[in-house]
């Protein structure tokens, strides 16, 4: 019986097999497709298998409608890989670090990460506790593109470049607002939108942040950063800062921001 299911799974992975990694090769190009288990079962082992088997010159697919349970933190290193990220990662307690070269990640305006931040905002009620994970960190990454992607209800800084060169972001949405805070109270702390540090040649085009902290924060050693068409809905707007906070070189050079709309939203739904 198991053998038949296995054979079936090889041919119809998306229909039949929940919680699988399907690897196929066509003209020397590998594709890894990951489906979610559901029922809050940890999908990280399968996702890591896909990141390993399709780590170079490959395509990784998270199909539409799939909801992955990120039960532990994970780090991917990829080289010349397309990630077609239609599904959603639910990672309340664990962060994700992406490293490598020539990574092209597309979320098709539907895919992304949902941090279920309310669980943390409710607990913190405006103070900031230790140990909140960062949902999406780009570290030691070069020549990569992130398009049409969302980080929703982030537990901490939403999209955080820690060390990267030549990166292009387009059509990015980050949200971090409390659904439970009383009117006029800000429960959301340290849930910035887009952050850069040790970053060079970074462009961000078409960005929407809705939340209670920095929409964009340009941090030490950020150079040649071009930002265009951003909407910051609530929060502190754009910060070029935390510069004196560190002892090392904390210079920032050549940051251009065009077409920015920064607004408060209705106080009855202030984060
Ligand atoms: C950074 O990435 C490059 C390749 O992209 C790799 O050769 C190098 O080992 C990485 N450095 C660290 C500290 O992981
Ligand atoms: C990481 O940061 C260091 C120090 O600023 C820099 O020399 C290096 O080029 C950075 N790496 C990447 C991939 O941007
Ligand atoms: C970004 O969104 C616009 C539509 O608002 C679309 O025309 C454009 O192709 C998108 N960019 C990418 C890189 O997909
Ligand atoms: C600017 O960005 C917003 C998303 O914040 C998008 O809806 C809009 O289409 C963008 N405008 C242009 C001209 O691309
Ligand atoms: C400023 O940064 C842009 C890229 O964002 C780059 O094209 C330009 O050459 C830089 N200008 C200087 C003076 O370094």
């Amino acid at each position: 019986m198991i053998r038949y299911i296995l054979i079936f799974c090889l041919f119809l992975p998306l229909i039949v097999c929940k919680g699988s990694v399907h690897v196929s090769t066509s003209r020397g190009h590998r594709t890894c497709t990951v489906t979610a288990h559901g029922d809050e079962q940890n999908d990280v082992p399968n996702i890591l298998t896909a990141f390993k088997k399709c780590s170079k010159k490959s395509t990784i697919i998270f199909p539409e409608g799939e909801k992955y349970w990120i039960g532990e933190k994970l780090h991917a290193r990829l080289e010349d890989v397309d990630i077609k990220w239609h599904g959603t990662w639910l990672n309340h307690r664990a962060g994700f670090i992406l490293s490598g070269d020539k990574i092209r990640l597309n979320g098709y305006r539907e895919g992304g990460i949902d941090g279920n931040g309310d669980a943390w905002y409710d607990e913190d009620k405006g103070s900031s506790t230790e140990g909140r994970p960062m949902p999406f960190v780009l570290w030691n990454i070069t020549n990569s593109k992130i398009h049409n992607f969302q980080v929703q209800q982030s537990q901490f800084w939403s999209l955080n470049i820690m060390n990267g060169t030549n990166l292009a972001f387009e059509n990015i949405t980050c949200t971090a607002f409390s659904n439970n805070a009383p009117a006029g109270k800000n429960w959301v702390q340290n849930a910035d939108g887009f952050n850069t540090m040790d970053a060079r040649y970074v462009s961000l085009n078409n960005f929407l942040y809705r939340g209670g902290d920095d929409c964009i924060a340009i941090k030490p050693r950020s150079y040649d950063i071009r930002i265009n068409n951003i909407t910051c809905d609530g929060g502190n707007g754009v910060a070029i800062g935390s510069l004196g906070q560190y002892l090392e070189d904390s210079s920032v050079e050549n940051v251009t921001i065009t077409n920015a709309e920064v607004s408060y939203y209705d106080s009855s739904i202030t984060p």
Side-chain angles (χ1 to χ4, degrees), residues 32-52:
C32 291
T33 304
V34 188
T35 54
H37 287 95
D39 298 326
E40 301 195 356
Q41 279 187 67
N42 188 11
D43 289 304
V44 170
N46 280 349
I47 293 172
L48 286 174
T49 299
F51 283 147
K52 205 167 155 194

Side-chain angles (χ1 to χ4, degrees), residues 140-142 163-165 198 221:
N140 191 23
I141 181 167
T142 47
N163 198 227
T165 300
D198 285 311
R221 298 173 304 282

Side-chain angles (χ1 to χ4, degrees), residues 37 52 57-58 60 98 131 161 201 203:
H37 287 95
K52 205 167 155 194
K57 293 189 177 21
S58 305
I60 296 169
L98 181 61
I161 301 166
Y201 295 114
S203 69

Side-chain angles (χ1 to χ4, degrees), residues 118-209:
D118 271 312
W120 298 94
Y121 317 149
D122 290 0
E123 201 176 303
D124 287 8
K125 294 191 172 49
S127 60
S128 187
T129 49
E130 299 278 323
R132 281 157 51 183
M134 295 186 200
F136 192 11
V137 172
L138 295 116
W139 176 78
N140 191 23
I141 181 167
T142 47
N143 309 316
S144 296
K145 295 175 179 172
I146 315 280
H147 291 162
N148 311 312
F149 193 74
Q150 40 194 322
V151 180
Q152 292 174 40
Q153 296 302 88
S154 175
Q155 313 92 313
F156 201 66
W157 303 337
S158 308
L159 209 162
N160 193 24
I161 301 166
M162 301 283 276
N163 198 227
T165 300
N166 201 16
L167 307 176
F169 296 81
E170 187 160 305
N171 303 336
I172 306 295
T173 302
C174 296
T175 61
F177 56 91
S178 173
N179 288 300
N180 305 323
K185 288 266 191 289
N186 184 352
W187 279 7
V188 181
Q189 296 289 323
N190 285 322
D192 297 357
F194 186 83
N195 285 6
T196 63
M197 187 151 99
D198 285 311
R200 199 179 274 276
Y201 295 114
V202 174
S203 69
L204 171 64
N205 195 29
N206 304 348
F207 175 68
L208 171 67
Y209 174 74

